[in-house]
Amino acid sequence: MALVDVVLGVDIGGTNTVFGYVDKEGKCLHEASMLTNGDEPAELFFERFYAAESAIFEGLKHRCRVLGIGIGAPNANYYCGTIEQPPNLKWGFVNVVQEMKKYYDVPVALTNDANAAAIGEMVFGAAKGMKNFIVITLGTGLGSGIVANGQIVYGADGFAGEIGHTTYDPAGRDCGCGRKGCLEAYASATGIRRTVCELLALRTGASELRAVSLNDLTAKMISEAARRGDTIALEAFEMTGEILGLKLADSVAHTSPEAIILFGGLAAAGDLLFIPTQRSLEKHLFPIFRNKVKLLPSGLPLGNAAVLGSSALMWNELRK
Amino acid sequence: MALVDVVLGVDIGGTNTVFGYVDKEGKCLHEASMLTNGDEPAELFFERFYAAESAIFEGLKHRCRVLGIGIGAPNANYYCGTIEQPPNLKWGFVNVVQEMKKYYDVPVALTNDANAAAIGEMVFGAAKGMKNFIVITLGTGLGSGIVANGQIVYGADGFAGEIGHTTYDPAGRDCGCGRKGCLEAYASATGIRRTVCELLALRTGASELRAVSLNDLTAKMISEAARRGDTIALEAFEMTGEILGLKLADSVAHTSPEAIILFGGLAAAGDLLFIPTQRSLEKHLFPIFRNKVKLLPSGLPLGNAAVLGSSALMWNELRK
């Protein structure tokens, strides 16, 4: 039987690293995960990764052939193949491509997780055939990948696409980056929790969320409360959509995308988030852009999204 | 003697249309202008243009050969070759490339004036050799041309690069576009006049600008007053730079440009504008972008800038 050509897609996360073997149609033949152990030196991680991956591949080598490796990771730089001071990983500055090349002799490419999501949508997901679109990843923070003229916008230094750190309110909430009022401090899983907290202080109405500490509160609890009609939870989604739509209108004014794709945990809230975001986006768009920009959910299967995105990076390189 | 290869660069403005013959080094062999007469039907304009241009070319045809025509115009769409509802011109919807093709059998390309400025900087000016930069044109309004991966970002519909219509303050000044608080209502020749007006109401200090009506006030008068130490004029430049720097930090978060080039009338104020803009930009940048982005004046000679930009569009096409 002929071997199937696959790409090894790797998503290095703060807690877990997930990897899988993805064919050119976006079918994931096998997926596995391991602890990242971000406290250990990076060299140890790559040693453990090779051991874990080889063991898995042993059972696959009669079926497929790995053409290349695509990696998504926080603070990753596509140009240099490096990760620089990733949050949650005590690795400092690591040349990931070089480390991987010690174990593998296929092409290796690296990009940040939001850009990997964008390439994943372009190759396998909701942005198939699009040349101009933006992916917004709504997780703990707000990441973004911008595609213009069919290419990821990496910018002069490889770090373009930080829409989460555009300013919503220069006198607003503290952001983890040291600035004030960043979009991500409002529109993210963390942001909506802070919004609930603010609304609980502002409003006097009953809310089941009054019984939950900020530490215990999750975005999922807020969307469940909203579905039960909790007014604070509903207002939190309205406010999140209003702010996200306002700032996305700025993004449209920059690159005029055909679509904006909302990806990640908070996007799973569906209409609760999409309806107010779309309303606010249309309201704030410069007139020539109105009724043109689609607001779409991710087209990648939730379980494999990160691995599909990372593998799409390499499939995209191999097609060049 | 061998003929010099040139491109005919045309800048269609609300009042005047300027055209010139530019060689591949950016030398303008001859420049001329005519009234646009935007009240007349567009067909008449193209007839008059051909007559005026042919008359000039009669004197040049022994020296040069026109390889193509590049045109910059308001509300122009590169993809379609059209102008759509240009302000100050009662032309409605015009297919400019088609109209020109009635008279000329060389390649014709059209883009909006800010994109023409950006290509001009890339081919002949301050952005030579750069693959990622932004040009901001500060005239009556605020236009922008964004270059990423060495290409103008046109977006899905050809209208990308409207940084002037990103929102500075959703509850702020009325903008000509029908929205509120657009950057261009603050950072443009018109914007700084409105800022002076606001400051004259807020402050009690003496200012020579108290003697001037808003109708008579020009950006040039404000910069001249600032150079004489007028505190209202100086504060108006500080405020303009503060707002422009804040919003340019958002633009950097999108495309991470190597440089931002300030172009046009208000940029001629020099340090009065550049110093507060640079200070505000650095203050508001996401940390990884700090101390990386150059803020530069245009590298095109002031008199020929528009024609050089338009011709650069076609030189860029011919090199593809």
Side-chain angles (χ1 to χ4, degrees):
Chain A
M1 201 177 81
L3 293 175
V4 178
D5 287 338
V6 295
V7 156
L8 173 57
V10 186
D11 180 64
I12 301 176
T15 309
N16 294 301
T17 291
V18 189
F19 60 95
Y21 305 84
V22 180
D23 75 9
K24 71 172 190 295
E25 310 302 328
K27 198 180 138 209
C28 188
L29 272 65
H30 187 91
E31 191 172 297
S33 87
M34 57 180 271
L35 287 172
T36 304
N37 287 354
D39 291 336
E40 288 179 7
E43 291 74 27
L44 270 183
F45 167 82
F46 291 101
E47 201 180 311
R48 285 195 300 114
F49 176 83
Y50 177 66
E53 190 278 322
S54 306
I56 299 276
F57 191 66
E58 201 52 36
L60 292 167
K61 67 182 182 188
H62 64 286
R63 293 170 57 201
C64 61
R65 179 174 60 165
V66 175
L67 299 186
I69 302 173
I71 308 172
N75 285 29
N77 191 308
Y78 170 79
Y79 291 145
C80 318
T82 52
I83 299 184
E84 304 183 15
Q85 311 282 359
N88 309 321
L89 300 177
K90 294 192 179 148
W91 289 359
F93 185 97
V94 185
N95 193 315
V96 172
V97 171
Q98 229 165 60
E99 291 295 325
M100 290 292 277
K101 288 281 196 179
K102 290 181 187 168
Y103 301 98
Y104 299 94
D105 64 352
V106 291
V108 180
L110 171 78
T111 195
N112 82 30
D113 27 18
N115 287 335
I119 301 176
E121 298 293 349
M122 181 164 66
V123 175
F124 301 129
K128 262 187 208 167
M130 291 187 195
K131 296 270 184 207
N132 296 277
F133 66 96
I134 297 176
V135 169
I136 302 287
T137 64
L138 296 164
T140 312
L142 187 157
S144 60
I146 302 172
V147 172
N149 295 320
Q151 296 178 292
I152 287 276
V153 174
Y154 285 113
D157 60 355
F159 292 115
E162 286 290 353
I163 295 175
H165 296 280
T166 59
T167 303
Y168 164 64
D169 176 0
R173 295 181 185 170
D174 290 344
C175 180
C177 76
R179 301 170 67 244
K180 272 189 191 294
C182 290
L183 176 59
E184 115 169 352
Y186 299 83
S188 64
T190 314
I192 197 169
R193 290 165 60 228
R194 296 171 80 171
T195 299
V196 163
C197 198
E198 189 177 308
L199 290 171
L200 288 173
L202 270 173
R203 308 284 175 239
T204 53
S207 167
E208 60 180 86
L209 302 175
R210 293 196 187 278
V212 188
S213 77
L214 184 54
N215 275 344
D216 291 339
L217 187 66
T218 64
K220 201 170 166 220
M221 287 163 69
I222 302 169
S223 64
E224 284 166 358
R227 285 207 183 83
R228 284 191 288 270
D230 188 283
T231 53
I232 294 287
L234 285 165
E235 190 176 352
F237 274 105
E238 283 294 321
M239 206 168 135
T240 305
E242 172 67 27
I243 293 169
L244 183 57
L246 169 69
K247 292 304 290 182
L248 290 180
D250 273 12
S251 297
V252 172
H254 281 83
T255 65
S256 183
E258 179 178 344
I260 298 173
I261 297 164
L262 303 185
F263 180 107
L266 189 60
D271 280 355
L272 284 171
L273 182 70
F274 277 73
I275 291 175
T277 304
Q278 177 97 58
R279 187 192 309 130
S280 169
L281 174 63
E282 285 298 329
K283 182 174 82 183
H284 292 108
L285 280 176
F286 184 52
I288 49 166
F289 300 123
R290 284 184 196 147
N291 303 309
K292 281 183 182 172
V293 187
K294 291 168 250 177
L295 191 69
L296 301 175
S298 168
L300 300 176
L302 205 61
N304 300 123
V307 160
L308 285 180
S310 304
S311 70
L313 168 68
M314 180 46 66
W315 276 120
N316 202 39
E317 297 291 311
L318 293 170
R319 280 166 194 177
K320 271 179 191 171
Chain B
M1 202 178 79
L3 293 175
V4 178
D5 287 338
V6 295
V7 156
L8 174 57
V10 186
D11 179 65
I12 302 177
T15 310
N16 294 302
T17 292
V18 188
F19 59 95
Y21 305 85
V22 179
D23 74 10
K24 71 172 190 297
E25 311 301 330
K27 198 179 140 206
C28 188
L29 273 64
H30 188 91
E31 192 173 295
S33 87
M34 58 180 271
L35 287 171
T36 303
N37 287 354
D39 292 335
E40 289 179 7
E43 293 73 29
L44 271 183
F45 167 81
F46 291 101
E47 201 181 311
R48 286 195 298 113
F49 176 82
Y50 177 67
E53 190 278 321
S54 308
I56 299 276
F57 191 66
E58 200 54 37
L60 291 166
K61 66 182 185 190
H62 64 286
R63 291 172 55 201
C64 60
R65 178 175 62 163
V66 174
L67 299 187
I69 303 174
I71 307 173
N75 287 27
N77 191 308
Y78 170 79
Y79 291 145
C80 317
T82 52
I83 299 185
E84 304 183 16
Q85 312 282 358
N88 308 321
L89 302 176
K90 296 192 180 149
W91 288 0
F93 184 98
V94 185
N95 192 315
V96 173
V97 171
Q98 230 164 60
E99 291 295 327
M100 290 293 278
K101 288 281 196 178
K102 291 181 186 166
Y103 302 98
Y104 298 95
D105 65 351
V106 290
V108 181
L110 171 76
T111 196
N112 81 30
D113 28 17
N115 287 335
I119 302 176
E121 297 293 350
M122 182 164 64
V123 176
F124 300 130
K128 262 189 210 167
M130 290 186 196
K131 296 270 182 206
N132 296 277
F133 65 96
I134 297 175
V135 168
I136 301 288
T137 64
L138 296 163
T140 312
L142 186 155
S144 60
I146 301 173
V147 172
N149 295 320
Q151 295 178 293
I152 286 277
V153 175
Y154 285 112
D157 61 355
F159 291 117
E162 285 290 353
I163 294 175
H165 297 279
T166 60
T167 303
Y168 163 64
D169 177 1
R173 295 180 186 170
D174 291 343
C175 180
C177 76
R179 300 170 69 243
K180 272 189 189 294
C182 289
L183 177 59
E184 112 168 355
Y186 299 84
S188 64
T190 314
I192 197 169
R193 289 166 58 230
R194 295 170 80 171
T195 299
V196 162
C197 200
E198 190 177 306
L199 289 171
L200 287 173
L202 270 172
R203 308 282 175 241
T204 53
S207 168
E208 61 180 83
L209 302 175
R210 294 196 185 276
V212 188
S213 77
L214 184 53
N215 274 345
D216 291 339
L217 187 65
T218 63
K220 199 169 167 220
M221 286 164 70
I222 303 168
S223 65
E224 283 167 358
R227 285 208 183 81
R228 284 190 288 269
D230 188 283
T231 54
I232 295 288
L234 284 165
E235 189 175 353
F237 274 105
E238 283 292 322
M239 207 169 134
T240 305
E242 173 68 26
I243 293 169
L244 183 57
L246 170 70
K247 294 302 292 181
L248 290 181
D250 273 12
S251 297
V252 172
H254 281 82
T255 65
S256 184
E258 179 177 343
I260 298 173
I261 297 164
L262 302 185
F263 180 106
L266 188 60
D271 280 354
L272 283 171
L273 182 70
F274 276 72
I275 289 174
T277 304
Q278 176 96 58
R279 188 193 309 130
S280 169
L281 174 63
E282 286 297 330
K283 181 173 80 183
H284 292 108
L285 279 176
F286 183 53
I288 50 166
F289 299 123
R290 284 185 195 145
N291 301 310
K292 281 183 182 172
V293 187
K294 290 168 248 176
L295 190 70
L296 301 174
S298 167
L300 300 175
L302 205 61
N304 299 123
V307 159
L308 285 179
S310 304
S311 71
L313 168 68
M314 181 46 66
W315 276 120
N316 202 39
E317 297 291 311
L318 294 171
R319 281 167 193 178
K320 273 180 188 170

